[in-house]
Amino acid sequence: MGQAHHKVQVVQIPGQGSTTSTIPQATKMSLRQISAALRRRNSLILLLCLVAFYLLWFQLAGVRLLEGSGHPHSDQWEERVAKELYAMRLQASEMRRQLTRLGSAPAHWRHPDLPTIFVVTPTHAIPTQKADLVRLSNTLLHVPNLHWLIVEDADHKSELVSRLLRRSGLVYTHLSVATPPELKLQPKDPRWKKPRGVLQRNAALSWLRENLEIVDANGVVYFADDDNTYSLELFTEMRDIQSVGVWPVGLVGGVMVERPLVDNGRVTGWLTPWRPDRAFATDMAGFAVNVRLVLNHPTASFSIESQRGFLETDLLTQMGVTLDDLEVKADLCTKVLVWHTQTAKADLKIEKIMEQKGKPATNVGIEV
Ligand code: UGA
Ligand code: MN
């Protein structure tokens, strides 16, 4: 064994010319084995590469397979989400049905940290009243920590509105105050001739002053007429208002949209064709105020004396608000989240003809 170490073998190493090596004779056989091993190694490397390639391909194909069943925006994924949403809605509507049946408003639909949104709605007895209130209450049901202040333009609270509120599942306060006949619109008068809902909104402001404590009052007051269309996003936008929040209103004043003019995040004026010189040229639906403003200005109210179209601006002026106080909502006033839709007057021509002929009204014994 020791002798073998003295023999010298010339080994041709590919690419390196001839080199003198000290590999002993006894390893001659194992050299062949080495080259075989090298070949085996190469095959092994090739095999490993193939396996790695195969695994990679499998992985990618697998991802594609997964995509098929669950990747967002795939058809299956959307179908699954739709099914889950449907099941959740079903559950929610069943719970709401139970709450209504038990006669308990979901006062627990309250979060201690969320400011309350006080929604003030004047309403009057016209054929479309219930339809408007049902539509509005369906919207409000989606909003947590909401308190509906609904004020009937009537001497007494009606059974129709009382029942609707009891069954609504909303947290509410029901008030009534009648607009004196001389201040009321006559059937032939154009809509704009007399201000509407003035005494009713004032009754709600008085209720807030009588029932909330300044120290812990935390919330926002929004004047939401019964016939507008409200996006749920609007309520999220207004909830954190500290002074006065403003935003665009769609389909109002004879144009597609009226809105605050915003420069560098501040309101600089108003984009409206009619009297943009008003200090606050916004529709009732285009602003909300922090409830502290109502409590800190105990005499601020809507005025029956206000010039036509000046109800809103006159109220905000009494509250000592300036343009600088305005908080710009709805993505710097670039989004329409409320529409001044107006419910068409009910067409009851046939009902009148039937009445003249002494026939009974179609709504005898059924509330419409
Ligand atoms: C527009 C504004 O959007 C109102 O906020 C504003 O009060 C009104 O003009 C005005 O200038 O006085 P518009 O759609 O023309 O509103 O008015 P309505 O929707 O007919 O009335 C506003 C609110 O007052 C409604 O909630 C309605 O139910 C109530 N209302 C109307 C009464 O309580 N009594 C009435 O005799 C008429
Ligand atoms: Mn209206």
Side-chain angles (χ1 to χ4, degrees), residues 191 225 227-228 340-342:
R191 221 178 158 108
D225 291 349
D227 56 347
N228 296 334
H340 185 259
T341 44
Q342 292 181 308

Side-chain angles (χ1 to χ4, degrees), residues 13 33 56 58 105 107 116 123 169 242 305 321 337 340 362:
I13 294 178
Q33 281 168 353
L56 195 71
F58 183 79
T116 302
T123 178
Q242 293 305 309
E305 308 282 289
V321 177
L337 302 176
H340 185 259
T362 58

